Amino acid sequence: MARTPKIDRARRNALKAIALMSALAGCRLDGDSKANADANKNASANTNTTANTSATGNNGNSRNSGGGSCFARGTLIRTREGYRPIETLAAGDEVAVRFGGFAPIKAMVSHTLNSVSGKWVGEAKSNLPVVVRRGALGENAPNGDLRLTGEHAVYLDGYLIKANELVNGTTITFEAADGRDTLDFFNIELDRHDILNVQGAFFESLHRAGMERCAPQGFSGGRSQLRSHLRSVASVVVDRRQPIDIIRDRLDERGFAFPRAA
């Protein structure tokens, strides 16, 4: 009986490892096909590279590719005045941050995600909306369901972990597009990267290229996640899990227990 939790953990991680291997194999095939198509296109095209580079240069607009690290409308952010819906915030408002008390918002940027025929469109698969249920990250953390983009990182035990890397099918899930036409998202950009208090849990502020991250990233891509899941599978025999593996396994186990407690 004492080994049952370990076996359950190994089984869940084995299933995730298999899914990741399939996804990575699919990405490789898609990448090879795209590379061949691009090579054929380049061979047949006779364009001026310098002219093309100028045409795609920076136009000065502040735009986040793929939507960025965003919270959905209605998400409550802690400010000097208490928790406020993110859509009511503006540049200059001060928000609570983990590494500096309170910090003024540098900019607020929003975008809208649309659904067509029950599917989200115009967003990378890795950045589709994720729902984090009340208590998914710890006792009353967050203190209510919240929605954010999949590439947005949660801050847990000193690590930044993307929401899409923590999906467990129970307490942390991808948001279905059924019954929705749109979903509004908002970015909070600070002068430096920091951690926001979001409904009693902790998530990163917007991270832009060139910004120093305020904490180490937990995973560095699909292969990093795959190795993590394999370490968790092997932990039934020899536990050589790293801190980041233990964090994810703990949240998985918490999510696994939720339906039983309902």
Side-chain angles (χ1 to χ4, degrees):
M1 290 296 292
R3 292 180 60 86
T4 300
K6 290 185 179 182
I7 294 171
D8 287 342
R9 180 178 69 223
R11 178 179 177 275
R12 290 194 299 272
N13 278 283
L15 292 173
K16 289 187 176 183
I18 292 170
L20 266 171
M21 284 188 282
S22 298
L24 289 170
C27 287
R28 182 175 180 179
L29 290 173
D30 289 345
D32 290 343
S33 298
K34 185 178 185 300
N36 290 333
D38 288 345
N40 292 334
K41 181 179 179 181
N42 291 335
S44 62
N46 183 19
T47 58
N48 186 301
T49 303
T50 302
N52 287 341
T53 302
S54 299
T56 58
N58 188 347
N59 60 12
N61 292 335
S62 177
R63 181 184 178 92
N64 300 319
S65 61
S69 300
C70 311
F71 298 102
R73 179 184 294 277
T75 303
L76 300 177
I77 309 295
R78 189 183 173 206
T79 71
R80 282 195 180 275
E81 297 77 34
Y83 285 102
R84 288 176 52 187
I86 191 169
E87 66 271 17
T88 69
L89 300 178
D93 289 339
E94 292 191 324
V95 293
V97 292
R98 191 168 183 86
F99 300 111
F102 289 89
I105 295 174
K106 179 179 180 180
M108 294 290 300
V109 183
S110 64
H111 77 280
T112 298
L113 186 61
N114 299 301
S115 69
V116 176
S117 300
K119 294 183 179 180
W120 298 115
V121 296
E123 188 65 276
K125 184 177 180 180
S126 63
N127 208 33
L128 292 177
V130 170
V131 182
V132 180
R133 302 294 180 190
R134 178 179 178 272
L137 307 177
E139 188 64 32
N140 211 34
N143 55 27
D145 294 357
L146 62 84
R147 291 164 176 77
L148 68 163
T149 50
E151 292 287 328
H152 201 142
V154 184
Y155 180 74
L156 293 164
D157 296 350
Y159 290 93
L160 291 167
I161 311 174
K162 294 177 181 178
N164 62 26
E165 296 168 342
L166 295 173
V167 169
N168 57 25
T170 53
T171 55
I172 306 175
T173 61
F174 285 107
E175 171 81 340
D178 295 340
R180 288 183 179 270
D181 294 325
T182 62
L183 194 56
D184 296 328
F185 285 98
F186 300 82
N187 289 335
I188 295 178
E189 182 179 359
L190 305 175
D191 284 326
R192 67 178 186 178
H193 192 230
D194 213 316
I195 304 300
L196 303 167
N197 183 321
V198 184
Q199 297 182 194
F202 299 100
F203 296 81
E204 66 173 339
S205 63
L206 177 64
H207 180 267
R208 290 195 184 278
M211 276 187 174
E212 182 180 357
R213 291 192 184 274
C214 65
Q217 288 184 284
F219 298 107
S220 57
R223 288 180 175 81
S224 173
Q225 292 181 67
L226 177 59
R227 289 191 293 270
S228 172
H229 287 301
L230 292 176
R231 286 192 295 268
S232 289
V233 172
S235 68
V236 173
V237 180
V238 179
D239 195 346
R240 293 180 178 173
R241 291 177 297 164
Q242 297 178 5
I244 190 67
D245 310 331
I246 296 171
I247 293 169
R248 189 213 47 244
D249 286 344
R250 184 182 73 229
L251 296 188
D252 277 355
E253 289 163 10
R254 187 174 183 83
F256 185 66
F258 260 54
R260 296 179 180 180

